[in-house]
């Protein structure tokens, strides 16, 4: 009768034996949030990761983003809403925490009120090279001269139906427009390669669709990701969380070996 081979007691007591089973146990017990946040999510060719997350996701998947940075994916287009205004995200630069966006409203109308974007607790305007300003002019005269009619945008605003104009700071008609409009708000736009000295042939709603840069103000993810973790957010105590293979940590993963 053939007997099964027995493992020598000395081998069972060998340190390497315990290390092997310790590592095996760790590999079989990966933190579920780490696994979830390791999945690649995309929309229209953009990688969507911390601080952004898709609207309507369950809590475990929302935890891979940061509170307030919800985006939607509509027809392969990533939409970010700021102060109830939708913007199309064209590019995301995770290393320096910036995004390139443009107005998503088809009519070109922005309900600006007193400020375009700021103050906002999530974003601030970034001003890279090649960024200029255009003006929204509110509370304008109901009767516009011919040279200003083409600057009017389809925007009722909060001025009782008075015309709203959009034009470049370098436009030669700006001085005349400022005499007829009592409120102005500056907004950023990126110059095109064929723009001259800040003025160009685009007027009115064409300006509103120009792209510009925003910098987000969520926690920096670099320390966590460098340590091998996945950045996220604890919606229970409203704090940044670094999801690691073993468990969540406050800032970065810690090696147990």
């Amino acid at each position: 009768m053939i007997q099964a081979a027995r493992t020598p007691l000395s081998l069972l007591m060998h340190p390497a034996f315990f290390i092997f089973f310790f590592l095996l146990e760790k590999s079989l017990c990966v933190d579920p949030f780490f696994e979830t946040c390791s999945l690649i999510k995309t929309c229209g060719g953009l990688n969507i990761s911390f601080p952004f997350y898709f609207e309507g996701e369950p809590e475990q998947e929302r935890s891979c983003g940061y509170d307030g940075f919800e985006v939607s994916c509509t027809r392969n287009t990533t939409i970010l809403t700021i102060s109830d205004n939708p913007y199309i995200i064209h590019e995301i630069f995770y290393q320096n925490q910036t995004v390139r966006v443009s107005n998503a409203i088809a009519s070109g109308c922005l309900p600006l009120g007193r400020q375009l974007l700021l103050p906002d607790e999530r974003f601030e305007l970034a001003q890279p090279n090649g960024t200029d300003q255009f003006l929204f002019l509110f509370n304008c005269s109901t009767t516009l001269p011919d040279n200003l009619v083409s600057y009017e945008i389809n925007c009722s605003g909060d001025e009782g139906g008075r015309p709203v104009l959009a034009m470049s700071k370098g436009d030669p008609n700006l001085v005349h427009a400022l005499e007829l409009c009592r409120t102005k708000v500056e907004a950023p736009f990126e110059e095109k390669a064929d723009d001259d000295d800040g003025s160009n042939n685009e007027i009115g709603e064409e300006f509103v669709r120009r792209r510009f840069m925003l910098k987000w103000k969520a926690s920096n993810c670099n320390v966590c990701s460098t340590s091998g973790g996945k950045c996220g957010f604890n919606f229970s105590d409203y704090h940044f969380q670094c999801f690691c293979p073993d468990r969540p940590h406050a800032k970065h993963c810690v090696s147990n070996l």
Side-chain angles (χ1 to χ4, degrees):
M1 183 176 180
I2 300 175
Q3 293 183 347
R6 296 181 179 179
T7 303
L9 182 60
S10 58
L11 180 59
L12 291 175
M13 298 300 293
H14 196 281
F17 185 82
F18 290 102
I19 294 175
F20 170 77
F21 276 96
F22 173 75
L23 294 176
L24 178 63
E25 181 183 12
K26 287 179 63 67
S27 66
L28 297 176
C29 301
V30 177
D31 182 79
F33 284 94
F34 177 81
E35 289 186 319
T36 298
C37 297
S38 296
L39 299 176
I40 297 176
K41 300 178 181 179
T42 63
C43 176
L46 286 178
N47 286 334
I48 304 301
S49 61
F50 184 90
F52 303 104
Y53 62 94
F54 289 116
E55 65 179 2
E57 290 186 317
E59 182 175 347
Q60 184 163 315
E61 295 186 27
R62 285 193 301 120
S63 296
C64 301
Y66 199 87
D67 184 44
F69 285 81
E70 181 179 77
V71 298
S72 61
C73 187
T74 305
R75 297 177 182 176
N76 286 325
T77 300
T78 306
I79 302 297
L80 170 70
T81 300
I82 304 174
S83 301
D84 297 324
N85 301 325
Y87 295 89
I88 298 173
I89 297 181
H90 298 278
E91 295 177 272
I92 304 177
F93 305 96
Y94 288 103
Q95 287 302 109
N96 61 7
Q97 299 187 202
T98 58
V99 291
R100 178 172 281 115
V101 301
S102 66
N103 174 32
I105 302 178
S107 67
C109 174
L110 291 173
L112 299 174
R114 297 294 180 267
Q115 297 288 339
L116 174 62
L117 294 167
L118 302 178
D120 184 272
E121 62 183 11
R122 298 172 297 163
F123 295 94
E124 61 186 7
L125 295 174
Q127 299 290 342
N129 294 333
T131 300
D132 205 338
Q133 300 283 320
F134 68 89
L135 298 177
F136 282 101
L137 305 179
F138 294 89
N139 201 9
C140 300
S141 171
T142 54
T143 303
L144 294 174
D146 293 340
N147 66 324
L148 294 181
V149 170
S150 57
Y151 295 91
E152 186 174 357
I153 63 175
N154 182 23
C155 188
S156 60
D158 58 357
E159 305 296 342
R162 288 178 173 270
V164 178
L165 309 183
M167 57 200 311
S168 167
K169 267 188 168 183
D171 195 295
N173 291 316
L174 178 60
V175 175
H176 189 194
L178 290 173
E179 295 173 351
L180 300 175
C181 305
R182 288 188 286 179
T183 307
K184 68 177 181 179
V185 175
E186 294 188 3
F189 73 88
E190 291 186 349
E191 297 178 6
K192 293 181 178 178
D194 56 356
D195 287 345
D196 295 320
D197 54 357
S199 61
N200 51 67
N201 295 324
E202 290 183 320
I203 56 178
E205 293 186 6
E206 295 170 319
F207 264 130
V208 182
R209 296 187 179 90
R210 281 287 190 99
R211 301 177 183 185
F212 58 95
M213 298 287 289
L214 295 175
K215 184 176 181 64
W216 69 73
K217 294 185 276 188
S219 298
N220 192 308
C221 184
N222 289 337
V223 174
C224 174
S225 59
T226 300
S227 70
K230 303 297 179 182
C231 298
F233 189 80
N234 187 323
F235 281 87
S236 298
D237 58 14
Y238 275 76
H239 282 94
F240 171 83
Q241 199 97 74
C242 183
F243 296 117
C244 303
D246 59 339
R247 62 179 178 81
H249 292 265
K251 295 181 179 179
H252 56 79
C253 298
V254 178
S255 175
N256 292 319
L257 293 178

